[in-house]
Amino acid sequence: MELKEKLLSSFMAFEEKIDFHQELHDVRSQAIKNFESKGFPTKKEESWKYTSLNTILKNDFSVFPKKENSIEFKEVKKYFLHEIDTFKVVFIDGIFSSFLSSTTHDGLDVCLMSSALNKPKYKMYIDEYFNKVASKEESLTSLNTAFASEGAYINIPKSKVVEKPIEIIYFSTGAEAALMVQPRNLVIVGENAHVQIIERHQSLNENPVLTNSVTEIFAKKRAIVDYYKVQNDVQTANLIDNTYISQKQESHVSVHTFSFGGNITRNNLNFYHQGERIDSTLKGVTIIGDKQHVDHYTLVQHATPNCESHQNYKTILDGSSTGVFNGKIFVEKEAQKTDAFQKNNNILLSDKATINAKPQLEIFADDVKCSHGCTIGQLDENAMFYMQQRGIPKKEAKALLMYAFTSEVTGSIKIPELRSKIARIIADKLGVKMGFDL
């Protein structure tokens, strides 16, 4: 049975085993109808023209884990930011792990989506926020909405500065021959509140995994949200990450995406402005090789005056890997005084590596400052020669140049311990040991 048919036939059984109210049933039903109509995206769609899911969909994925699996902390300690204390929300094969999680907190509402979707005390928030900024048309987002059951629910109250980062980690044990999981996260950050969140998806063996994740983030007036995505999975893991962000007046939201591992990774990142003096930051570093494929699709919709957005994506490709950057800035007629900047720089280390870059500006306002730039090239041979002449071996010289290339992005990480961790991952990707952190 093809995966689409398996999902459609599983939908009624899924709804029967969960508690839900009528409004959610209607939302799920409409979502599964949209997925049934559109199916999985293909390269015939403009936004997917450089990314094919055909090889992934040949796997016989289980759409629900057959049993609940456990993991010892020592087995996965290296994946956590253990240098400092953090709140932890951990899932194993899509199921919450109370053993690995640490959500004891003061004044925060950090719980499970399953609780938020089903308990009366959360109904007001679910009615107001769930599926309100996520696309109703995008087929994979609709698929996630139809099966939305588990994930992280985070509600930061007004004026609360969260004292330590929140880590959301999804582990796949590989107990199934092939598994599809569909986590759903909802993050609500109140007026003047500030939170830092780190998200990671990690497989623990080589069995194929397909993760179709959706995250909705709502930043109220003057809220500050720093969101970090660490993607360094095994090369049989596939991730489709759909993130939708709604920003109110004077809010600041930054999303850093670090894509190092996995087979096929697709990041859909969408920002929507709903007030003046908003600041949106989108940054990413991609370092891949072999036949890996990473696709960044970004959208910033400027709908209000006096707002800013800044995009900066760095990509290093080796082997027969493929990178995609499809960035779109949309400025509506009312969004005067917009300042929007987009930059995408790419280095090809192999003749077989490929990059597809498509920066887009659609501007309907006349008093704006918008720019975009894209470069594709190789490492500077003169700089390599200069460094080797001063006693630096070629491998280390190459790594130093690539560190410098990525530092514009990594240097803006606001959690020092995470910045050091990313530096170590980059050094490992480059096959060198560095005597310093970024």
Side-chain angles (χ1 to χ4, degrees):
M1 183 185 298
E2 292 187 358
L3 183 57
K4 179 182 176 181
E5 282 66 38
K6 180 183 288 189
L7 288 162
L8 293 174
S9 64
S10 301
F11 178 69
M12 289 187 63
F14 166 77
E15 276 217 309
E16 286 177 1
K17 73 175 185 177
I18 62 171
D19 297 324
F20 63 89
H21 47 76
Q22 185 61 42
E23 292 89 342
L24 270 182
H25 169 72
D26 294 342
V27 169
R28 292 185 195 278
S29 297
Q30 185 58 46
I32 199 67
K33 287 178 182 177
N34 184 54
F35 174 72
E36 182 177 17
S37 171
K38 296 184 175 181
F40 287 97
T42 70
K43 296 179 75 172
K44 293 180 180 179
E45 299 177 37
E46 182 64 25
S47 60
W48 284 83
K49 67 183 296 184
Y50 300 116
T51 300
S52 172
L53 300 180
N54 289 342
T55 57
I56 301 175
L57 300 180
K58 291 178 182 178
N59 290 290
D60 185 17
F61 289 107
S62 297
V63 295
F64 305 114
K66 294 184 175 63
K67 64 177 182 177
E68 187 170 337
N69 297 293
S70 61
I71 302 172
E72 293 293 327
F73 178 71
K74 62 183 180 182
E75 300 176 57
V76 295
K77 179 181 178 181
K78 64 182 179 180
Y79 301 118
F80 291 94
L81 194 65
H82 53 79
E83 295 86 352
I84 58 172
D85 191 19
T86 62
F87 298 121
K88 299 176 181 64
V89 188
V90 182
F91 302 87
I92 301 174
D93 293 335
I95 300 172
F96 177 66
S97 170
S98 58
F99 176 70
L100 293 179
S101 299
S102 174
T103 58
T104 301
H105 38 75
D106 178 24
L108 307 180
D109 196 352
V110 180
C111 71
L112 307 181
M113 276 299 295
S114 55
S115 297
L117 290 171
N118 295 310
K119 291 187 177 180
K121 75 172 186 175
Y122 294 107
K123 185 178 185 303
M124 176 178 68
Y125 297 104
I126 294 301
D127 289 346
E128 183 174 357
Y129 297 106
F130 178 76
N131 205 43
K132 293 303 187 290
V133 68
S135 172
K136 309 295 191 300
E137 301 301 322
E138 208 282 323
S139 64
L140 290 176
T141 297
S142 293
L143 176 62
N144 178 286
T145 298
F147 286 92
S149 174
E150 199 58 286
Y153 171 87
I154 299 172
N155 193 341
I156 310 300
K158 181 178 180 180
S159 300
K160 177 69 177 180
V161 178
V162 182
E163 62 187 29
K164 51 191 179 182
I166 299 172
E167 291 188 272
I168 307 171
I169 302 185
Y170 294 90
F171 289 113
S172 297
T173 63
E176 307 279 347
L179 179 65
M180 181 178 186
V181 290
Q182 301 197 75
R184 183 70 171 237
N185 303 314
L186 177 58
V187 180
I188 305 163
V189 185
E191 290 185 22
N192 301 304
H194 182 190
V195 65
Q196 296 174 321
I197 300 174
I198 304 165
E199 179 186 332
R200 182 163 187 164
H201 301 264
Q202 188 65 50
S203 301
L204 301 180
N205 73 9
E206 301 295 325
N207 284 351
V209 174
L210 172 57
T211 300
N212 178 37
S213 176
V214 172
T215 299
E216 293 182 283
I217 301 173
F218 295 85
K220 300 293 190 66
K221 292 181 181 179
R222 296 176 296 278
I224 301 175
V225 182
D226 298 315
Y227 208 102
Y228 302 94
K229 297 176 180 289
V230 181
Q231 301 168 348
N232 191 31
D233 215 335
V234 302
Q235 291 197 28
T236 51
N238 305 281
L239 172 64
I240 300 164
D241 186 279
N242 308 281
T243 301
Y244 301 90
I245 299 167
S246 170
Q247 290 187 248
K248 295 292 188 180
Q249 176 182 337
E250 297 180 50
S251 61
H252 291 243
V253 177
S254 67
V255 177
H256 288 66
T257 305
F258 300 101
S259 302
F260 305 125
N263 175 34
I264 292 179
T265 302
R266 165 76 177 218
N267 291 299
N268 297 319
L269 184 55
N270 306 271
F271 280 73
Y272 301 97
H273 290 184
Q274 298 179 355
E276 294 192 37
R277 294 178 295 280
I278 287 170
D279 190 286
S280 303
T281 299
L282 303 76
K283 293 188 176 184
V285 172
T286 299
I287 304 177
I288 54 175
D290 298 324
K291 294 183 179 181
Q292 292 176 281
H293 181 105
V294 172
D295 182 345
H296 294 288
Y297 181 91
T298 69
L299 166 67
V300 181
Q301 185 168 10
H302 287 268
T304 48
N306 302 301
C307 295
E308 298 184 14
S309 67
H310 309 273
Q311 299 186 53
N312 193 353
Y313 283 79
K314 306 282 191 176
T315 302
I316 299 174
L317 302 170
D318 203 352
S320 299
S321 61
T322 303
V324 181
F325 177 77
N326 192 340
K328 184 175 182 178
I329 297 171
F330 188 92
V331 183
E332 296 185 15
K333 185 177 180 179
E334 295 79 9
Q336 304 293 340
K337 303 294 183 182
T338 288
D339 185 353
F341 170 78
Q342 183 187 92
K343 183 164 69 171
N344 171 228
N345 302 119
N346 307 278
I347 291 178
L348 303 181
L349 300 178
S350 165
D351 292 338
K352 295 182 179 179
T354 303
I355 180 70
N356 299 286
K358 187 183 177 184
Q360 301 175 73
L361 295 176
E362 291 191 28
I363 303 170
F364 298 92
D366 52 21
D367 185 8
V368 301
K369 184 167 66 174
C370 297
S371 64
H372 65 76
C374 175
T375 62
I376 301 171
Q378 298 175 323
L379 288 176
D380 189 331
E381 291 296 332
N382 291 330
M384 287 278 290
F385 178 75
Y386 178 87
M387 296 170 74
Q388 288 178 263
Q389 287 293 95
R390 278 145 185 80
I392 301 175
K394 183 177 181 179
K395 188 175 182 179
E396 281 70 20
K398 181 178 176 181
L400 283 169
L401 287 176
M402 286 189 279
Y403 261 98
F405 176 72
T406 62
S407 63
E408 195 174 4
V409 173
T410 56
S412 64
I413 301 173
K414 295 180 182 178
I415 305 172
E417 295 79 8
L418 179 61
R419 188 165 60 245
S420 296
K421 192 179 189 73
I422 295 299
R424 292 193 296 272
I425 293 174
I426 291 176
D428 183 63
K429 288 291 292 183
L430 302 179
V432 297
K433 291 185 177 181
M434 307 300 288
F436 58 89
D437 288 331
L438 292 171

